[in-house]
Amino acid sequence: MGEYGVVPGQRVAIIWDSSSPVEALKDLVDKIQALVGADHRVSVENVKQLSQSAHRESSFDVILSGVVPGSTVLHSAEVLAEIARILKPGGRVLLKEPVVTELGNNSRIKTAAKLPLALTLSGLVEVKELQKEALTPEEVQSVQEHLGYRGNDLLIVQIEGRKPNFEVGSSSQLKLSFAKKPGVSGKPSVDPATAKLWTLSANDMNDEEMDILDSDELLDSEDLKKPDPSSLRALSCKETGKKKACKNCTCGLAEELEQKKSSQPKSACGNCYLGDAFRCASCPYLGMPAFKPGEKILLKENQLHDA
C-alpha cells in the first residue's frame, strides 16, 4: 500500500484551507496523482467550499484532509458530515488537526478526546488515533495567524476512520422463512392429561362422582331481597353535613344560601368586611369586628340604612 494508504486506481480528494502552504499543497497533489495513476484525477477542495462542490454521494475511496505539511485545518461537524457523505462505503478518511490538552477559552479547537468522538458522530466507524506529536514551528505560526491561539498546550493529531460498508438510508430484504418443517405441527403440543383436567363433557354431568356446585346455592336470602329505593338515593348536601353546596347541587341548598346572601345589606364600597379602618362613616357595620366575605351578619333595625 502506498503512502497515506493510497493505491492505484482509487479516487482521492485532498482538502486544504488558507493555512496550507501553496508549494506543499502542490507537492502533495503531485505525489498522490502519481500513486493513483494518470487515468484517475485527484480532486482538490477548500474546506470552506466543500459543501458547495456538488460531489455525489459515495464518490471517493480516500479523503485526505489537513495533511498538507504546515497546515492547521479545523474540521467542523458539518465538514465531517460532508466527508462521510462523499466517501464510498468502506472508504477511508485520514485527517490531521491541532488539538488542546484541556478545553480553554478558544472553543473552536477541540480536545484530543473530542476529536475521535466528532468523527464517530459524523457516521464514521473504526476511528483510531494514529499519531500525536508537538507542532512544528511552522504549524505553531499557522495556528497563531489563522486561529488566533497563542497557548502552549497544542498538539497535532493524525486520525483515521472508515465509512460503514453500506450507504446511509440503504435497505436490505430480510430472508425469513415461514414454511413448516416436516413433522412439526403449527400448534404447540398439549399434554393429554392436562387437557383432560380442563375438559368437561356431557357425560361428566351424569357422573355421580363429579361434584358440581349449584349457582343458586351461592346466594342467601338477603341477596334475593329487593333493595329499598330510598337506600339507593344519594345523600343531599344538607344530609352530608356540608356548609357549602355541591358544584351540581340539586337539593336546594345552593338556592337557600344564595337567598341568605342576597338578604344581607350590600356594601357600596365592598370593604365593609375588612374592619372599621376600611369602612365609611355611614357604614351599617361600623363598630363591628371584621368578618369573612359572604358571612351572615345580624344587624339591628336602627342600623339598616344605605351605606
Side-chain angles (χ1 to χ4, degrees):
M1 183 177 291
E3 192 173 1
Y4 300 110
V6 177
V7 297
Q10 288 184 325
R11 289 203 62 192
V12 180
I14 297 176
I15 300 175
W16 61 282
D17 74 345
S18 57
S19 68
S20 305
V22 177
E23 291 299 323
L25 174 61
K26 184 177 180 300
D27 291 343
L28 177 63
V29 173
D30 293 341
K31 184 184 296 184
I32 299 300
Q33 186 66 69
L35 291 173
V36 299
D39 296 334
H40 298 81
R41 184 175 64 86
V42 176
S43 296
V44 181
E45 299 291 348
N46 184 284
V47 68
K48 293 183 178 180
Q49 303 298 324
L50 182 62
S51 59
Q52 283 79 40
S53 58
H55 288 297
R56 295 182 178 180
E57 293 182 354
S58 306
S59 297
F60 299 100
D61 299 289
V62 178
I63 295 179
L64 306 176
S65 183
V67 299
V68 179
S71 65
T72 52
V73 180
L74 295 182
H75 302 83
S76 64
E78 292 75 15
V79 169
L80 292 174
E82 181 65 14
I83 288 175
R85 186 187 71 85
I86 61 179
L87 262 181
K88 292 181 179 180
R92 175 173 169 268
V93 57
L94 176 68
L95 62 84
K96 291 179 69 175
E97 181 171 330
V99 297
V100 291
T101 54
E102 293 183 2
L103 190 61
N105 296 329
N106 194 326
S107 59
R108 294 176 58 195
I109 304 179
K110 306 179 188 69
T111 62
K114 287 191 174 182
L115 182 57
L117 180 61
L119 270 70
T120 301
L121 292 176
S122 69
L124 299 175
V125 297
E126 300 180 25
V127 177
K128 57 183 177 180
E129 183 181 297
L130 301 179
Q131 191 175 9
K132 183 191 296 181
E133 59 187 3
L135 276 68
T136 64
E138 293 79 8
E139 291 169 340
V140 171
Q141 183 179 357
S142 176
V143 169
Q144 293 175 352
E145 291 179 358
H146 298 91
L147 304 180
Y149 188 79
R150 299 184 180 277
N152 55 2
D153 60 339
L154 282 171
L155 295 172
I156 195 82
V157 172
Q158 183 169 310
I159 193 169
E160 73 170 356
R162 294 184 181 275
K163 186 172 182 177
N165 290 320
F166 55 85
E167 192 55 79
V168 176
S170 60
S171 61
S172 177
Q173 185 177 0
L174 298 176
K175 296 180 180 180
L176 300 176
S177 176
F178 296 97
K180 295 182 179 179
K181 297 181 180 180
V184 178
S185 174
K187 296 181 179 180
S189 59
V190 179
D191 184 8
T194 303
K196 187 176 181 180
L197 289 174
W198 295 96
T199 303
L200 189 65
S201 66
N203 295 331
D204 294 326
M205 297 297 183
N206 300 323
D207 190 349
E208 295 180 356
E209 297 181 358
M210 179 67 67
D211 188 12
I212 300 178
L213 291 175
D214 185 357
S215 59
D216 293 335
E217 295 179 358
L218 300 176
L219 302 174
D220 56 24
S221 58
E222 292 296 327
D223 295 326
L224 299 176
K225 287 183 180 180
K226 186 177 181 180
D228 184 3
S230 62
S231 65
L232 302 177
R233 182 179 60 83
L235 295 176
S236 65
C237 302
K238 296 179 181 179
E239 292 171 332
T240 58
K242 295 181 178 179
K243 295 183 179 180
K244 294 183 179 180
C246 300
K247 184 178 181 180
N248 299 318
C249 179
T250 58
C251 68
L253 181 59
E255 290 81 358
E256 181 181 340
L257 294 177
E258 186 64 28
Q259 289 178 0
K260 290 181 179 180
K261 185 176 180 181
S262 60
S263 65
Q264 297 185 38
K266 294 185 178 179
S267 170
C269 63
N271 296 327
C272 297
Y273 70 95
L274 296 174
D276 285 349
F278 299 89
R279 295 168 183 162
C280 55
S282 59
C283 180
Y285 298 101
L286 197 64
M288 300 180 65
F291 53 87
K292 296 180 180 179
E295 184 179 356
K296 184 177 180 181
I297 305 298
L298 296 178
L299 299 173
K300 296 180 180 179
E301 291 295 332
N302 59 0
Q303 290 179 292
L304 295 177
H305 54 80
D306 292 336

